[in-house]
Amino acid sequence: MTNTHHHDQRPVLVLGGTGKTGRRVAARLHDRGVPVRIGSRSSAIPFDWEAPSTWGAALDGARAVYISYYPDLAAPGAPEAVQALADAALDRGVRRLVLLSGRGEVEAQRAEQAVFDSGAEVTVVRCAWFMQNFSEDFLRDAVLSGEIVLPGGEALEPWIDADDIADVAVAALTEDAHVGELYELTSPQLLTMTDVADALGRATGRHVGYVPVSVDDYTAAAAEQGVPNELVGHLTYLFSEVFGRTAYTADGVQRAIGRPARDFATFARDAASAGAWDTPVGATA
Ligand SMILES: NC(=O)c1ccc[n+]([C@@H]2O[C@H](COP(=O)([O-])OP(=O)(O)OC[C@H]3O[C@@H](n4cnc5c(N)ncnc54)[C@H](OP(=O)(O)O)[C@@H]3O)[C@@H](O)[C@H]2O)c1
């Protein structure tokens, strides 16, 4: 009998495997009986984007890699780092690469091209903004405070659920039909920030309002609150050049796994039931 993926005991390396998407990818692989190796600075075999000398040990013997770059594919040097990682993977006999990417980012699209050009079996998941930014990341405290202060104007964004991203990524990591595909992942609805705040308010049973501000006021306030300069610069870029610039939905979830993407209200209700906003400001959910 030929050695099918099912019997393949080599692990899938999940980069960022403790983050918003990576930990969901790792959990799903585990549930399917696929061996997983987490690749992050704190994992058993440490992986650090800043230290290419750590990459070889993480890649050795892996069958596939889920590539989530940190902090963001739009960061300076990101496309080059991702290209180097893809080359290192192929050098070590890792054939399959699934890249987590973002919509509307020139640098992210350069990274996608580099991975497609590597010669590996590649799938790209090009994502809208993550719903879990509100439950597990930099916008959680805003939800708890009742005021989401952002330079989002009246722009429309089709937020994507990280659970959908993980479902698509796991299909691409474990099934052959997704090789060469670029899946654009969004939810089925375009929402303004006011819509988002309303949905979070209904789900949490608190008042959550949206307070639009200018990019300059937003970054000035962030800097005043001690947010590191690099992150402030990054947020400036995201809100002046990325947010709301891809105001259309896409069918990547349906195309990849044959079911519709989850909508924001469902995410918010499920996250509230799971206790995402139960612990105090500043604490991790
Ligand atoms: N948030 C959005 O709305 C959005 C939208 C589209 C695309 N994206 C893309 O999503 C990616 C981030 O994915 P995510 O949100 O799932 O991750 P995340 O939640 O930001 O998680 C960060 C992960 O990266 C690890 N990490 C941090 N610094 C690292 C380093 N120097 N080297 C290696 N690993 C490091 C962390 O573990 P350790 O601390 O143990 O290292 C953790 O596992 C970015 O490339 C971004 O461009 C995000």
Side-chain angles (χ1 to χ4, degrees), residues 75-102:
E80 292 74 16
V82 168
Q83 177 165 20
L85 189 273
D87 291 342
L90 280 174
D91 282 349
R92 284 165 198 268
V94 185
R95 295 286 321 151
R96 182 160 300 182
L97 306 176
V98 174
L99 175 68
L100 171 68
S101 182

Side-chain angles (χ1 to χ4, degrees), residues 10 30 52 54 125 128 154 167 185 215 256 258 265:
R10 293 173 300 161
H30 181 79
T54 62
V125 288
E154 289 303 304
D167 283 346
L185 306 188
V215 173

Side-chain angles (χ1 to χ4, degrees), residues 202-225:
R202 276 192 298 277
T204 57
R206 310 163 187 255
H207 173 79
V208 182
Y210 167 51
V211 182
V213 291
S214 70
V215 173
D216 286 352
D217 286 353
Y218 177 67
T219 51
E224 211 166 279
Q225 287 157 21

Side-chain angles (χ1 to χ4, degrees), residues 16-22 40-42 47-50 68-73 100-102 127-130 133 137:
T18 56
K20 294 187 293 302
T21 63
S40 83
R41 294 166 307 172
S42 57
F47 175 95
D48 189 342
W49 281 106
E50 313 268 323
S68 71
Y69 185 76
Y70 191 87
D72 196 285
L73 280 181
L100 171 68
S101 182
C127 297
W129 287 48
F130 301 168
N133 292 336
D137 208 319

Side-chain angles (χ1 to χ4, degrees), residues 19-25 27-28 66 127 130-132 135-136 160-171 185 253 257 259-263 266-268 270-271 274:
K20 294 187 293 302
T21 63
R23 71 183 173 78
R24 291 175 163 84
V25 170
R28 281 161 174 74
Y66 175 69
C127 297
F130 301 168
M131 296 176 185
Q132 278 75 7
S135 54
E136 300 174 19
I160 182 75
D161 191 320
D163 282 323
D164 285 338
I165 301 173
D167 283 346
V168 173
V170 166
L185 306 188
V253 174
I257 56 174
R259 64 158 177 82
R262 281 152 49 91
D263 63 20
T266 308
F267 149 75
D270 289 357

